[in-house]
Amino acid sequence: MKFKAAVVVTLKESVLDPQGVTIKEALHHMRYNQIESVRLGKFVEISLDASSAENAEKLVHETCRKLLVNQVIETYKLQALSPVSQKEA
Amino acid sequence: MRFGVVVFPGSNCDYDCYFAIKQWVSSSVEFIWHKSTRLNTYDCIVLPGGFSYGDYLRTGAIARFSPVMDNVIKYAENGGLVIGICNGFQILLESGLLPGAMLRNTSLRFVCKYITLRTVTTRTPFTASLKKGEVLSVPIAHNEGNYYIDEKGLEELQKNSQIVFQYCDADGAVSDSSNPNGSLLNIAGICSKRGNILGMMPHPERCCDPLLGSIDGLKIFQSITESFKKMQTA
Amino acid sequence: MEKIVITPQIVEEHGLTPEEYGHILTILNREPTITELGVFSVMWSEHCSYKNSRFWLKKFPTTGPAVMVKAGDENAGIIDIGDGLAVSFKIESHNHPSAVEPFQGAATGIGGIIRDIFTMGARPVALMNSLRFGKLNEPNVKRLFDGVVRGIAHYGNCIGIPTVGGEVYFDPTYQGNPLVNVFCLGILKHEDITLGRAEGVGNSVYYLGATTGRDGIHGATFASVELTEESEERKSSVQVGDPFMEKLLLEACLELLQTDAVVGIQDMGAAGLTCSTCETASRGNSGIKIELDYVPQRETHMTPYEILLSESQERMLVIVKKGKEQEVEDIFEKWDLHASKIGEVTDDGIMRVFFKGEQVVEIPAKAIAEDAPLYQRSYKEPAYYKKLKALDLDAVKEPNDYNTVLQKLLADPTIADKHWVYEQYDHMVITNTAVLPGKADAAVIRLKETDKLLSMTTDCNGRYCYLDPYIGGMIAVAEAARNIVCTGAVPLGITDCLNFGNPMKEEIFWQFKNCVLGISDACKSFGIPVTGGNVSFYNENPDGAVDPTPVIGMVGLIQNSDYVTTAGFKQIGDEIFLIGPIQSNIGGSEYLSIIHSIKGGALPEFDVELEKRVQSCCLELIRQRSIKSAHDCSEGGLVVAVAESCILGSGQKLKLGVSIVLENISGRIDGILFGERQSRIVVSAAPKMADALIKAGKKHNVPVTRLGVVTQETISWTVNGKKVIDQPVKESAQNWKGEIERMLS
């Protein structure tokens, strides 16, 4: 079965995000004072083949831990995982 | 002739431009703080290299919203001379003064070295004193110098002869092996339709002094002053 | 907040001995609070107090006619270079952070060393780095190497300070424990010297820069857990650097120093707010009072312990004259920086810290900063020392094919060209780089608006120091000086970064002591002062300690651009000479390690007096403009040095080769070709200069040998009538220039 997974990788909450801070400041300079905080991350879309949704999820987590995410400073969320029909794939 | 070098937070070639112009071009030159809004006393505006706002989000993306930029846009639209070098070029792209965008170098690495440039057109004030096809030895130093534009845009550029510099080998031949960053058609610098705005990735201000190895960059600054003189007398 | 009772276990977890704790009780005349214990623990750590090393570091010569600020007095030393100008430079290690997270570890190392320089009032104008990794064919080494180089590039390029030089070694000893030593040099006018002092009762203490988070709090593991009852997850010890913030700090601080509003500036580096407050107070013979509620915080519910011990990056402490606050705040505002007044200077000599109206720290500032324990660690000669020294090198078989040996050595990542590294660094920004990286034995930058130039290098061969720490330490200084001299400069001073294993092990401490004595004696002999540095202990991996690696950063002065000399040959027909002795054994050489897989043997004879004469001779020839190139013999010996001069002198089209003929050579041929005896410089000169070279040799009482002549296309060596090397320059260049990239791809 084909699946599509969406993973969002961000810096851990305790890790300083200089990009997010700078973007927030710039928005304040542009008078968007309502903006309280900005955190920048990466969005990773993965297409994969797996025997079940459970296995697909396992595989995605594994790739995240092994490669996609630097667990020393980053964390991730598996935002969506859904089967794809053959036609779409 | 009066040059103004814009200083954004994170600019780091601002002083290099200032020094090169003062020392070797013998023109008057001043810094323009990014919060400043008065540009009408300058004859040429330089947007220098560096990492404005840390290059966070995208290169040049935040600097484009600095207070000074609204006036740079007006100044350029009125035909004023604007040269954007490296990060300055990226800011010109983000602000829409020049077409296209920058991608990361295909090597995915920062690259700093001397390269050779082919002068494609001498129709701009920045290249008027050069010879067509002249090869210049100038350093590059960037992470995002891989110029991209869609097919239609590229046709426009070519039709209006807006491609000013291309990366080439020492003999002036433009080839894949002389492309340091994956840039489309080896593009290293482009100008606006009117030719009054130049954006280039290589750093002419780094090679104006014989002690530093090459003085080919000086030729670009001298072209600006000579063109300006002609415009004044015309 | 609940009061925590200090148990012996808590004391131990803070890295303090029972005796040290007893000393704290005497100083305070009561039990410390947990926050105070944290303060003592970081201030009395080896990193801040040098408690295990200080006794020996005092052996270094630290004074000289040009020394304006001495080692140890401030963040970095300062040396006068004439014309009303001075230089400030320092080297520091970031080994452990880089092992955990190479990109951020290296990046924050760069950030820290830059702050050390601009807090002195100097504008940082050059960076170098001295890196050591395991064997490059290991996947983990590739990851570390790539990450460290990217981290340095990220920070240095963004802040706009050129990385002009450095060195990279690959050796199994550094497997799992890379060494990342970073060097920064700044230039200042004499009148701009700024000290890290808190003086003048009532003056304001400002906190400037990034917000404070929980990063970098090592201390004891219990601390965060018990105090905040938060999970492990929150105790991130990896700091993330923000070069953009630091660029703003740098510009704002240098602008501040042009006003007369500032009394002192100090970086919040190791031990953060704690160290910066008590050190500035101690140096200023003052007290200091701060309120933690005013410290800008990035995370919620931070305890005083955490705020004081945080090592968040890009933060400065600025002491501002009373009444001048507005002037200073205007400058911060101009640079969009957040500043916060957190306290003031007092006259009672006490560091007082308040949190939510409660006093959480009350310690005499001098007691923490200056009364740190001082130990004389015991030491013992390691068993390997005599054994390896006595190794029978005669038993090593001489190879049949020297061509292959040369190519293997040129492609050895330690010897191979490092353009893959330095092209990722912006090495030209600030437009002072008069000699591009790799072109000469040391980096050369010009000083704008003067005729002068500066030359700088980092050097150390860990293998030599392992085999003979005392001689290895001397050689590190001698080689650095030789590199400086080869560019046409006179050495001004050194900064050292001493990387060793666990000092509690007697054999490690023996290495440390002997290296320090070697460096110290060499410096005294050369008359070069030590202006500061850093000690990094506990560099160990599961197989043991790294080779002792006392990296020397040296800076020299070139009087004018006519003297600038590079390593590449210049012209066909020029003659090639060796200044210094030609005989060498192969002990401790890269050749012995790479080709024969042997780490051992007695090092070739080293005589510091001969070294000095060789350097004087070379410098005189440069100043007479008698020679066109100068390149010192180091790893790979004479043949590699000559091959490098050929490759460096070659252009895209014309390849410069050599024809070298040696007669009446006795002893091992491989020793002559690849031995690494010190005190040797390969130079080239126009044929008509030959007499001048021979005369200079006689005058300085050093051997000067004509080796051969610059040709084209081929590297050719004939020894005792037999052609031993015959190689196209092109192939040698490909091996030398391409190997690192090949191994990484």
Side-chain angles (χ1 to χ4, degrees):
Chain A
M1 263 163 55
K2 307 275 185 201
F3 292 88
K4 214 164 226 177
V7 177
V8 168
V9 184
T10 52
L11 287 171
K12 282 181 188 170
E13 193 140 9
S14 58
V15 174
L16 176 71
D17 174 13
Q19 298 213 57
V21 173
T22 306
I23 294 164
K24 185 195 80 183
E25 302 269 313
L27 289 168
H28 284 186
H29 278 296
M30 293 161 78
R31 301 189 196 286
Y32 291 107
N33 291 316
Q34 326 73 311
I35 304 296
E36 286 174 358
S37 95
V38 177
R39 294 197 55 95
L40 213 65
K42 279 181 255 179
F43 178 83
V44 188
E45 195 175 75
I46 306 166
S47 303
L48 69 157
D49 196 351
S51 55
S52 66
E54 198 181 312
N55 282 340
E57 189 172 334
K58 230 170 97 189
L59 190 67
V60 171
H61 281 298
E62 200 177 310
T63 54
C64 283
R65 281 194 305 270
K66 286 209 171 142
L67 176 69
L68 300 177
V69 181
N70 176 354
Q71 291 189 299
V72 180
I73 49 174
E74 291 174 329
T75 180
Y76 71 96
K77 269 198 202 106
L78 174 56
Q79 287 217 315
L81 177 76
S82 51
V84 192
S85 70
Q86 288 300 331
K87 216 167 65 195
E88 262 182 87
Chain B
M1 178 169 189
R2 274 160 64 93
F3 284 83
V5 178
V6 177
V7 182
F8 296 101
S11 290
N12 63 31
C13 304
D14 45 348
Y15 185 72
D16 298 352
C17 290
Y18 175 93
F19 182 81
I21 294 166
K22 194 173 140 200
Q23 187 83 7
W24 301 102
V25 188
S26 312
S27 280
S28 105
V29 54
E30 284 170 23
F31 289 117
I32 304 170
W33 188 236
H34 69 108
K35 291 174 186 169
S36 153
T37 49
R38 292 183 45 183
L39 301 179
N40 45 10
T41 55
Y42 301 103
D43 304 312
C44 180
I45 303 288
V46 182
L47 303 185
F51 287 68
S52 56
Y53 296 92
D55 269 357
Y56 296 150
L57 192 58
R58 290 187 309 280
T59 57
I62 301 178
R64 181 254 171 276
F65 289 102
S66 270
V68 74
M69 280 309 292
D70 282 343
N71 292 286
V72 170
I73 292 170
K74 274 184 213 141
Y75 179 91
E77 281 167 353
N78 287 331
L81 298 183
V82 178
I83 175 171
I85 299 164
C86 198
N87 194 225
F89 186 10
Q90 293 161 341
I91 296 168
L92 288 174
L93 295 174
E94 281 285 339
S95 66
L97 282 171
L98 290 174
M102 284 298 172
L103 300 174
R104 282 186 75 185
N105 299 345
T106 41
S107 64
L108 300 180
R109 292 180 188 282
F110 190 95
V111 57
C112 174
K113 62 178 182 185
Y114 264 94
I115 48 88
T116 33
L117 281 183
R118 183 184 168 83
T119 312
V120 183
T121 174
T122 55
R123 77 169 182 99
T124 79
F126 311 95
T127 52
S129 312
L130 295 167
K131 287 193 260 328
K132 195 171 173 171
E134 187 168 342
V135 175
L136 305 177
S137 179
V138 183
I140 52 168
H142 58 248
N143 207 0
E144 273 113 354
N146 179 357
Y147 180 76
Y148 172 81
I149 191 164
D150 61 20
E151 230 166 284
K152 217 178 116 211
L154 183 63
E155 266 171 43
E156 281 280 298
L157 281 185
Q158 287 172 315
K159 195 179 79 197
N160 302 319
S161 76
Q162 287 175 261
I163 299 172
V164 182
F165 294 115
Q166 281 176 298
Y167 301 109
C168 65
D169 65 19
D171 299 321
V174 174
S175 66
D176 283 350
S177 64
S178 59
N179 188 334
N181 53 27
S183 195
L184 200 66
L185 275 187
N186 286 35
I187 287 174
I190 58 169
C191 66
S192 58
K193 267 185 206 164
R194 285 168 74 179
N196 63 316
I197 310 169
L198 172 71
M200 63 186 293
M201 288 314 291
H203 287 271
E205 81 281 7
R206 293 190 181 184
C207 47
C208 293
D209 187 336
L211 185 61
L212 304 183
S214 164
I215 54 164
D216 284 356
L218 188 56
K219 295 179 182 171
I220 293 172
F221 289 107
Q222 280 167 342
S223 183
I224 298 173
T225 54
E226 281 165 32
S227 302
F228 179 74
K229 239 183 264 165
K230 277 184 200 150
M231 284 194 283
Q232 294 298 92
T233 52
Chain C
M1 204 173 46
E2 220 176 305
K3 190 176 173 341
I4 289 169
V5 182
I6 310 292
T7 63
Q9 192 201 344
I10 291 179
V11 172
E12 196 190 326
E13 281 172 343
H14 275 80
L16 293 163
T17 65
E19 294 72 37
E20 286 168 349
Y21 185 65
H23 190 37
I24 294 172
L25 293 178
T26 318
I27 289 172
L28 295 178
N29 206 13
R30 62 175 163 82
E31 261 198 15
T33 63
I34 184 72
T35 309
E36 287 171 331
L37 189 72
V39 168
F40 276 107
S41 104
V42 291
M43 287 304 294
W44 287 3
S45 67
E46 175 63 31
H47 190 90
C48 289
S49 72
Y50 297 102
K51 62 186 170 192
N52 293 310
S53 55
R54 213 161 72 231
F55 176 83
W56 293 99
L57 299 180
K58 284 184 186 162
K59 307 274 177 200
F60 287 148
T62 56
T63 52
V67 176
M68 298 177 77
V69 171
K70 244 176 44 184
D73 286 357
E74 291 284 340
N75 290 317
I78 294 181
I79 292 188
D80 183 10
I81 53 168
D83 295 326
L85 294 173
V87 288
S88 180
F89 55 88
K90 191 180 176 185
I91 192 166
E92 212 166 63
S93 67
H94 236 223
N95 306 340
H96 301 296
S98 303
V100 177
E101 215 299 297
F103 181 92
Q104 292 296 348
T108 51
I110 300 291
I113 196 67
I114 293 172
R115 287 195 296 280
D116 273 336
I117 298 306
F118 74 76
T119 51
M120 300 305 297
R123 175 168 283 278
V125 292
L127 294 168
M128 295 195 289
N129 44 74
S130 170
L131 311 177
R132 281 166 181 76
F133 302 93
K135 278 291 189 194
L136 189 53
N137 48 15
E138 298 274 339
N140 195 42
V141 170
K142 290 182 189 176
R143 181 185 67 86
L144 288 169
F145 177 44
D146 182 55
V148 165
V149 170
R150 281 180 190 277
I152 292 168
H154 164 71
Y155 210 104
N157 297 354
C158 181
I159 197 166
I161 300 167
T163 301
V164 295
E167 55 180 348
V168 193
Y169 279 77
F170 299 92
D171 191 288
T173 184
Y174 306 110
Q175 187 83 34
N177 194 319
L179 301 186
V180 176
N181 293 180
V182 294
F183 169 103
C184 183
L185 175 138
I187 298 171
L188 68 165
K189 292 189 184 132
H190 289 178
E191 62 266 28
D192 288 342
I193 293 180
T194 310
L195 304 175
R197 283 170 197 215
E199 285 170 330
V201 177
N203 283 339
S204 297
V205 177
Y206 273 82
Y207 171 111
L208 178 64
T211 49
T212 296
R214 289 191 172 88
D215 31 1
I217 303 170
H218 16 85
T221 39
F222 83 96
S224 331
V225 178
E226 284 204 4
L227 293 176
T228 68
E229 291 177 354
E230 291 285 343
S231 66
E232 279 288 304
E233 184 72 0
R234 289 183 55 181
K235 290 187 284 99
S236 168
S237 60
V238 175
Q239 297 119 284
V240 172
D242 183 354
F244 171 57
M245 169 66 79
E246 181 138 316
K247 170 72 173 167
L248 302 182
L249 280 179
L250 157 66
E251 297 300 336
C253 285
L254 292 180
E255 194 169 322
L256 279 180
L257 298 176
Q258 296 307 308
T259 70
D260 66 342
V262 173
V263 180
I265 294 188
Q266 175 92 6
D267 159 38
M268 290 186 219
L273 198 49
T274 298
C275 183
S276 57
T277 47
C278 65
E279 275 191 6
T280 48
S282 168
R283 287 191 201 121
N285 297 313
S286 307
I288 197 161
K289 184 178 97 182
I290 59 170
E291 293 188 52
L292 297 181
D293 308 275
Y294 296 114
V295 172
Q297 292 157 44
R298 177 155 53 81
E299 297 183 68
T300 49
H301 308 301
M302 288 186 71
T303 64
Y305 182 101
E306 291 174 323
I307 299 171
L308 274 175
L309 267 57
S310 161
E311 292 191 356
S312 290
Q313 299 288 297
E314 288 91 22
R315 304 178 303 158
M316 313 287 289
L317 196 75
V318 183
I319 315 295
V320 177
K321 277 186 198 156
K322 202 175 176 175
K324 301 267 186 182
E325 288 85 353
Q326 194 54 48
E327 202 176 331
V328 168
E329 286 188 17
D330 287 346
I331 291 176
F332 297 154
E333 172 83 28
K334 174 188 164 188
W335 289 98
D336 295 328
L337 283 167
H338 298 289
S340 169
K341 186 183 163 180
I342 60 167
E344 58 184 40
V345 179
T346 60
D347 61 357
D348 60 3
I350 309 281
M351 170 188 178
R352 292 177 198 279
V353 180
F354 292 85
F355 181 66
K356 295 189 172 154
E358 204 182 312
Q359 180 167 293
V360 290
V361 171
E362 182 186 6
I363 312 176
K366 275 227 182 300
I368 338 172
E370 287 172 26
D371 289 352
L374 176 61
Y375 299 115
Q376 278 198 60
R377 293 279 162 222
S378 53
Y379 49 83
K380 181 173 92 190
E381 185 183 292
Y384 76 80
Y385 176 65
K386 286 207 172 74
K387 200 178 110 204
L388 290 183
K389 206 168 189 171
L391 198 76
D392 179 17
L393 295 175
D394 292 339
V396 176
K397 201 167 160 278
E398 287 202 55
N400 299 320
D401 177 8
Y402 283 108
N403 285 317
T404 313
V405 173
L406 172 60
Q407 296 311 324
K408 271 194 184 157
L409 286 175
L410 287 173
D412 166 30
T414 294
I415 291 175
D417 176 42
K418 306 295 186 300
H419 75 94
W420 183 88
V421 178
Y422 62 72
E423 282 181 359
Q424 294 187 57
Y425 305 147
D426 190 339
H427 50 261
M428 296 186 231
V429 65
I430 321 195
T431 60
N432 289 333
T433 314
V435 175
L436 294 176
K439 294 281 185 198
D441 284 10
V444 177
I445 63 165
R446 56 103 175 255
L447 291 161
K448 286 197 182 96
E449 284 151 29
T450 76
D451 292 334
K452 293 173 182 166
L453 302 94
L454 292 171
S455 170
M456 61 197 89
T457 181
T458 63
D459 286 288
C460 180
N461 183 309
R463 191 185 307 126
Y464 300 166
C465 292
Y466 175 77
L467 295 174
D468 194 334
Y470 178 77
I471 296 294
M474 285 193 114
I475 287 177
V477 176
E479 189 185 347
R482 201 180 322 124
N483 285 331
I484 293 289
V485 163
C486 282
T487 63
V490 178
L492 284 173
I494 75 166
T495 172
D496 57 281
C497 194
L498 309 175
N499 306 276
F500 289 82
N502 180 351
M504 303 302 165
K505 295 182 187 164
E506 291 181 320
E507 302 192 336
I508 298 291
F509 205 78
W510 180 85
Q511 295 175 335
F512 174 77
K513 176 207 80 159
N514 283 308
C515 277
V516 168
L517 289 177
I519 292 170
S520 173
D521 286 351
C523 284
K524 284 175 189 156
S525 179
F526 277 99
I528 307 173
V530 177
T531 68
N534 167 237
V535 178
S536 172
F537 283 133
Y538 305 100
N539 290 290
E540 306 227 349
N541 57 33
D543 294 336
V546 300
D547 282 351
T549 312
V551 174
I552 300 298
M554 189 181 288
V555 176
L557 187 66
I558 306 178
Q559 282 304 326
N560 70 63
S561 59
D562 290 342
Y563 296 157
V564 173
T565 305
T566 54
F569 293 140
K570 300 293 179 296
Q571 208 174 350
I572 294 169
D574 281 350
E575 300 202 352
I576 304 163
F577 293 84
L578 178 70
I579 306 178
I582 194 159
Q583 293 287 352
S584 173
N585 76 31
I586 55 175
S589 65
E590 195 72 7
Y591 160 76
L592 196 55
S593 166
I594 297 294
I595 306 296
H596 299 284
S597 307
I598 296 171
K599 179 178 182 173
L603 296 180
E605 184 189 336
F606 176 73
D607 171 6
V608 72
E609 293 305 321
L610 172 65
E611 176 76 47
K612 279 160 47 185
R613 294 199 302 272
V614 165
Q615 293 185 18
S616 307
C617 178
C618 183
L619 195 60
E620 183 175 295
L621 288 166
I622 287 174
R623 290 183 162 182
Q624 291 170 354
R625 319 263 335 248
S626 300
I627 54 178
K628 295 186 184 174
S629 73
H631 186 22
D632 101 298
C633 286
S634 56
E635 286 81 11
L638 194 51
V639 172
V640 165
V642 169
E644 286 173 346
S645 288
C646 291
I647 299 168
L648 288 169
S650 297
Q652 272 187 342
K653 285 172 188 152
L654 181 66
K655 304 291 174 207
L656 295 183
V658 286
S659 169
I660 288 177
V661 179
L662 300 175
E663 300 290 348
N664 306 319
I665 294 294
S666 55
R668 295 179 65 116
I669 305 283
D670 59 353
I672 302 281
L673 299 180
F674 303 110
E676 294 177 12
R677 186 160 178 187
Q678 301 298 305
S679 323
R680 303 194 296 173
I681 300 171
V682 173
V683 303
S684 66
K688 64 174 184 204
M689 292 298 173
D691 286 347
L693 268 84
I694 303 294
K695 233 165 86 188
K698 283 202 180 109
K699 178 181 159 192
H700 291 275
N701 187 23
V702 296
V704 170
T705 314
R706 185 183 178 281
L707 297 177
V709 62
V710 178
T711 60
Q712 46 178 318
E713 305 294 342
T714 310
I715 298 174
S716 158
W717 284 70
T718 306
V719 180
N720 293 341
K722 191 177 162 216
K723 193 159 247 188
V724 289
I725 287 174
D726 188 15
Q727 286 282 289
V729 179
K730 207 173 156 190
E731 189 187 324
S732 300
Q734 277 165 358
N735 283 325
W736 187 66
K737 285 184 177 168
E739 187 59 18
I740 289 183
E741 207 166 345
R742 261 199 295 282
M743 290 186 81
L744 289 169
S745 62

